[in-house]
């Protein structure tokens, strides 16, 4: 099976999840990686292990243009795949319908060439499907796969297609910060609405900074304006699988838990010993976050972490 | 302007679902059902556009078994004008749903189709995008703000890097995210009035769409259970655990 994989870009730079979905795609066959962005991103993509060829196209970010671009290349491939990111979610179903294919999305495990596992009901059930179609349109959850190694030097082929879109890009409102990428972070500190204010949320961010962690938030915290929308973790936000997740003042609603099921270890800080998050946490400290967080951050600062 | 809103009846989002012991699926008999939350935001957006005078008619369409009438009634009670149920007892894949909706779009010729970005049962997040492809219309998914500007829509989308604003010419397809608005709870008189609004029922088989599944569901299983670990009693104890974990992590 030959695979065409859409590289995941963030503001023109190759994103960390590309190497993860490349590892997933490589389980299905030789992978050609489509980079619709700057040449530097294509150069970096060519170093990912398992990539047979990088196809470098003009920059495209809008769904209709990207779907048309992929559709133009689709004939030569059995599998067309992408990350289950907001780009992949936007583009791949559109492409699938163009090709008259039922897509299989959010894949968390590959059990055979055409057999895939995907979560449903906010991760409260796992569905195993066999894709009986001749062509497959797939998206993979980056957090469910380990990244492919680097060191490759795949050839780069330029594709001179013009990308047309009926939609027009007006502006990006990016959350700029120097904290690690949430979807691929090794440590995540998450804050809930009980921090009470954007100021209160800073306590969560301070602990995160000490640990070199990414920051997550509940929908309630984002709705309240304490954290930006792209920090939301859960059914409608990001799916994370860190080695360590520290949930601060978070109840553990099933829609939030949907985003953290892949976490290796969960630590909960909560006033309520009966909170659902405490019931599934590996370690819990029952108490007031306003009292605990400053002390915890100071204690960890003192301990001289190896990071 | 005419707006078509597609709504889905799903297991209520507050229900803790149970996977059937025989692995054939999720138990849905005797379980509370309601309108998919994302669809509610789509209906609210359409009704608000009607209230602002931008829209003459809001048509609701749902695909599902007869009881899906209930979610159409909910949308009519929120202020939509008329409903269509495409009736089928079969569980349909998203491509078949999109093809049925494309037929409805063909008949109704709405300027705008609004849908929820995903349904909380299968979490697919496909149908709006597929409908856009099948009707060759531009799409704006995961909308948290919609503004009508002439014959264009300016839509702010929630994306992995934050938010972005794009413009799409009408006719178009937009899928709603949860921060788009706060859906109203229809007052009782509106619920009574909804029953008098037109609601057509048509068998899905009548629309000439191939509804056969493309995927074979092998099994549905519960995820690995997590159980409670231990409680610690002091900040110092917790700090020591975190420090040990962090220092033991291999760098990636
Ligand atoms: C369709 C749908 C999709 C959704 N998607 C998501 C999603 O993707 N992500 C998400 O997070 N949510 C999502 N939600 C919302 C979810 O259902 C919950 O409402 C939300 O996760 C709750 O956030 P929270 O834990 O911050 O707040 P709450 O549930 O209010 O919990 C606050 C917690 O803080 C504790 N607390 C209070 N004061 C203190 C203190 N001083 N110190 C320590 N602890 C304290 C309380 O004991 C409680 O456990 C979704 C909901 C729906 C309907």
């Amino acid at each position: 099976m030959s695979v065409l994989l859409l590289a995941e870009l963030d503001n023109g730079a190759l994103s960390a999840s590309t190497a993860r979905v490349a590892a997933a795609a490589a389980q299905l066959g030789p992978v050609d990686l489509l980079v619709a962005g700057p040449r530097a991103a294509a150069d970096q993509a060519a170093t990912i292990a398992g990539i047979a060829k990088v196809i470098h196209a003009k920059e495209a970010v809008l769904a209709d243009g990207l779907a048309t671009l992929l559709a133009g290349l689709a004939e030569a491939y059995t599998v067309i795949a992408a990350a289950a990111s907001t780009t992949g979610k936007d583009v791949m179903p559109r492409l699938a319908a163009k090709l008259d294919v039922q897509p299989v999305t959010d894949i968390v495990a590959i059990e055979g060439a055409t057999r895939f596992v995907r979560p449903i009901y906010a991760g409260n059930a796992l569905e195993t499907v066999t894709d009986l179609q001749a062509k497959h349109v797939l998206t993979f959850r980056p957090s469910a796969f380990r990244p492919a190694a680097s060191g490759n030097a795949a050839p780069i082929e330029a594709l001179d297609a013009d990308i047309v879109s009926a939609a027009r890009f007006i502006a990006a409102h990016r959350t700029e910060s120097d904290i690690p990428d949430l979807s691929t972070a090794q440590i995540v500190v998450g804050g809930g609405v009980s921090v009470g204010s954007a100021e209160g949320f800073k306590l969560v961010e301070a602990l995160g900074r000490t640990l070199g962690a990414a920051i997550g938030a509940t929908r309630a915290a984002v709705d309240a304006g304490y954290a930006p929308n792209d920090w939301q973790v859960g059914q409608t936000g990001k799916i994370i699988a860190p080695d360590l997740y520290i949930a601060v003042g978070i109840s553990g609603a099933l829609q939030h838990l949907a985003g953290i099921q892949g976490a290796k270890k969960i630590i909960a800080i909560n006033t309520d010993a009966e909170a659902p998050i405490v019931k599934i946490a590996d370690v819990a400290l029952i108490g007031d976050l306003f009292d605990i967080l400053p002390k915890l951050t100071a204690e960890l600062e003192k301990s001289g972490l190896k990071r | 302007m005419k707006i078509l809103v597609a709504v889905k009846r799903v297991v209520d989002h507050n229900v803790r679902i149970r996977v059937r012991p025989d692995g054939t699926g999720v138990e849905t008999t005797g379980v509370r059902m309601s309108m998919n939350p994302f669809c509610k935001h789509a209906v609210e957006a359409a009704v608000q556009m009607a209230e602002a005078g931008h829209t003459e008619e809001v048509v609701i369409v749902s695909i599902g078994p007869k009881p899906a009438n209930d979610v159409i009634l909910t949308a009519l009670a929120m202020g939509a004008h008329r409903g269509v149920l495409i009736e089928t007892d079969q569980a349909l894949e998203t491509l078949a749903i999109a093809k049925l909706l494309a037929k409805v779009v063909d008949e109704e010729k709405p300027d705008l189709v609004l849908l929820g970005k995903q349904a909380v049962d299968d979490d697919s997040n496909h149908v709006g995008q597929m409908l856009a492809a099948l009707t060759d219309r531009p799409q704006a998914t995961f909308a948290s703000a919609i503004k009508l500007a002439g014959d264009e829509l300016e839509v702010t989308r929630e994306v992995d890097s934050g938010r972005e604003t794009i413009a799409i010419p009408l006719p178009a397809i937009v899928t709603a995210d949860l921060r788009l608005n706060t859906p109203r709870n229809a007052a009782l008189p509106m619920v009574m009035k909804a029953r008098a609004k037109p609601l057509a029922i048509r068998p899905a088989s009548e629309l000439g769409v191939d509804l056969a599944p493309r995927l074979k569901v092998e099994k549905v299983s519960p995820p690995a259970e997590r159980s409670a670990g231990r409680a610690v009693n002091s900040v110092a104890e917790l700090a020591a655990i975190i420090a040990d974990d962090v220092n033991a992590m291999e760098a990636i």
Side-chain angles (χ1 to χ4, degrees):
Chain A
M1 290 213 281
S2 52
V3 185
L4 176 64
L5 179 68
L6 176 66
E8 181 71 17
L9 301 179
D10 181 23
N11 209 17
L14 197 70
S15 101
S17 47
T18 301
R20 291 173 178 261
V21 290
Q27 293 185 37
L28 301 173
V31 180
D32 287 355
L33 187 59
L34 174 65
V35 178
R39 171 71 197 205
D43 289 340
Q44 201 193 335
T47 66
I48 298 174
I51 301 300
K53 175 173 83 179
V54 170
I55 302 170
H56 178 219
K58 288 180 190 152
E59 180 143 30
V61 290
L62 296 164
D64 52 351
L66 274 169
T68 305
L69 179 67
L70 285 164
L73 297 168
E75 204 181 337
Y77 298 93
T78 328
V79 178
I80 302 112
S85 59
T86 48
T87 303
K89 287 174 179 173
D90 196 26
V91 174
M92 298 312 270
R94 185 171 181 117
L95 169 73
K98 262 178 179 301
L99 301 176
D100 194 31
V101 169
Q102 169 67 39
V104 183
T105 53
D106 259 315
I107 293 169
V108 294
I110 299 170
E111 291 194 341
T114 58
R115 192 178 154 111
F116 309 108
V117 182
R118 62 178 306 266
I120 54 174
Y121 285 92
N124 288 301
L126 294 164
E127 186 179 60
T128 305
V129 297
T130 298
D131 183 350
L132 307 164
Q133 302 165 104
K135 215 179 256 307
H136 313 284
V137 175
L138 313 174
T139 69
F140 302 108
R141 264 198 191 169
S143 62
F145 299 90
R146 288 183 71 86
S150 57
N152 192 6
I156 302 176
E157 191 176 277
L159 180 73
D160 198 26
D162 274 317
I163 298 160
V164 282
S165 181
R168 189 160 46 82
F169 195 86
I170 298 182
H173 321 280
R174 295 174 56 84
T175 305
E176 296 298 353
S177 69
D178 51 4
I179 57 174
D181 170 50
L182 180 56
S183 345
T184 52
Q186 223 174 354
I187 308 174
V188 176
V189 182
V193 70
S194 54
V195 299
S197 63
E199 272 313 299
F201 205 88
K202 295 262 184 301
L203 294 173
V204 175
E205 294 173 57
L207 174 60
R209 203 170 311 116
T210 299
L211 296 171
I215 305 297
T218 62
R219 175 187 168 198
V222 175
D223 285 356
Y226 305 160
N229 67 279
D230 50 311
W231 288 3
Q232 183 171 316
V233 169
Q235 184 179 23
T236 43
K238 294 218 168 100
I239 308 291
I240 61 173
D243 290 337
L244 176 62
Y245 181 59
I246 306 179
V248 180
I250 290 175
S251 62
L254 64 95
Q255 293 89 357
H256 185 74
L257 298 185
I260 63 170
Q261 275 161 343
K264 280 215 190 85
K265 184 170 193 170
I266 297 174
I267 293 180
I269 298 172
N270 201 303
T271 43
D272 179 7
E274 300 301 318
I277 190 92
V278 175
K279 304 278 182 214
I280 61 147
D282 300 281
V283 178
L285 178 57
I286 304 306
D288 187 336
L289 71 93
F290 296 102
D291 173 43
I292 294 170
L293 279 196
K295 289 184 194 154
L296 181 61
T297 304
E299 190 102 9
L300 286 163
E301 280 292 344
K302 264 196 328 216
S303 72
L305 294 169
K306 284 192 267 165
R307 279 181 81 85
Chain B
M1 179 158 94
K2 178 173 174 180
I3 303 182
L4 180 71
V5 189
V7 300
K8 184 177 186 184
R9 173 179 180 262
V10 297
V11 172
D12 187 86
H13 64 273
N14 288 317
V15 169
R16 263 212 104 74
I17 58 114
R18 206 172 56 84
V19 174
R20 286 193 211 113
D22 64 0
T24 55
V26 166
E27 194 54 74
T28 52
T29 38
V31 171
R32 185 153 45 97
M33 307 290 282
S34 62
M35 194 195 301
N36 175 42
F38 295 89
C39 302
K40 269 202 168 170
H41 293 267
V43 173
E44 178 65 33
V47 170
Q48 284 185 12
M49 286 177 98
E51 286 169 346
H54 300 316
T55 306
E56 301 79 52
E57 193 179 30
V58 177
V59 181
I60 304 296
V61 57
S62 189
I63 301 170
K66 190 145 275 149
N69 264 338
D70 292 351
V71 298
I72 298 178
L73 283 171
T74 304
L76 295 176
M78 288 171 72
H81 301 98
R82 124 179 113 78
V84 182
L85 172 68
I86 309 293
E87 192 185 348
T88 173
D89 288 333
Q90 206 181 329
L92 298 179
E93 289 174 353
T94 50
L95 182 61
I97 296 284
K99 286 181 177 178
L100 288 170
L101 290 177
K103 294 280 184 188
V104 177
V105 168
D106 212 33
E107 290 173 10
E108 296 280 350
K109 308 209 171 3
D111 303 283
L112 173 62
V113 186
L114 279 162
L115 307 90
K117 79 164 180 180
Q118 76 191 67
V120 295
D121 49 4
D122 55 42
D123 280 331
S124 288
N125 198 334
H126 296 166
V127 174
Q129 297 88 310
M130 292 175 130
L131 179 62
L134 296 174
T135 57
D136 202 19
R137 292 175 171 211
Q139 71 191 48
T141 51
F142 329 143
S144 64
I146 305 172
K147 198 172 92 197
L148 186 65
D151 51 4
E152 273 193 347
L153 288 180
E154 271 183 33
V155 180
T156 300
R157 311 176 53 230
E158 293 204 359
V159 293
D160 287 343
S161 59
R163 289 171 301 125
E164 66 179 38
T165 306
I166 64 172
I168 48 172
L170 292 168
I173 313 285
V174 175
T175 73
D177 216 323
L178 299 175
R179 275 178 280 275
L180 180 57
N181 52 42
T182 308
R184 66 196 69 193
N185 280 318
L188 194 60
M190 292 298 281
V191 176
M192 303 306 290
K193 243 171 85 182
R195 301 206 169 270
K197 292 183 179 177
L199 202 174
I201 300 180
R202 301 176 55 187
S205 55
E206 223 175 56
L207 277 74
V209 170
D210 174 13
L211 303 175
R214 307 287 188 86
L215 309 176
K216 181 166 185 270
V217 177
E218 304 284 356
K219 64 171 183 198
V220 174
S221 42
E225 289 262 338
R226 292 188 97 109
S227 46
R230 62 197 172 105
V232 293
N233 296 314
S234 72
V235 171
E237 218 180 319
L238 185 63
I241 291 172
I242 293 174
D244 281 351
D245 280 348
V246 171
N247 289 333
M249 275 177 206
E250 53 171 313
I252 48 166

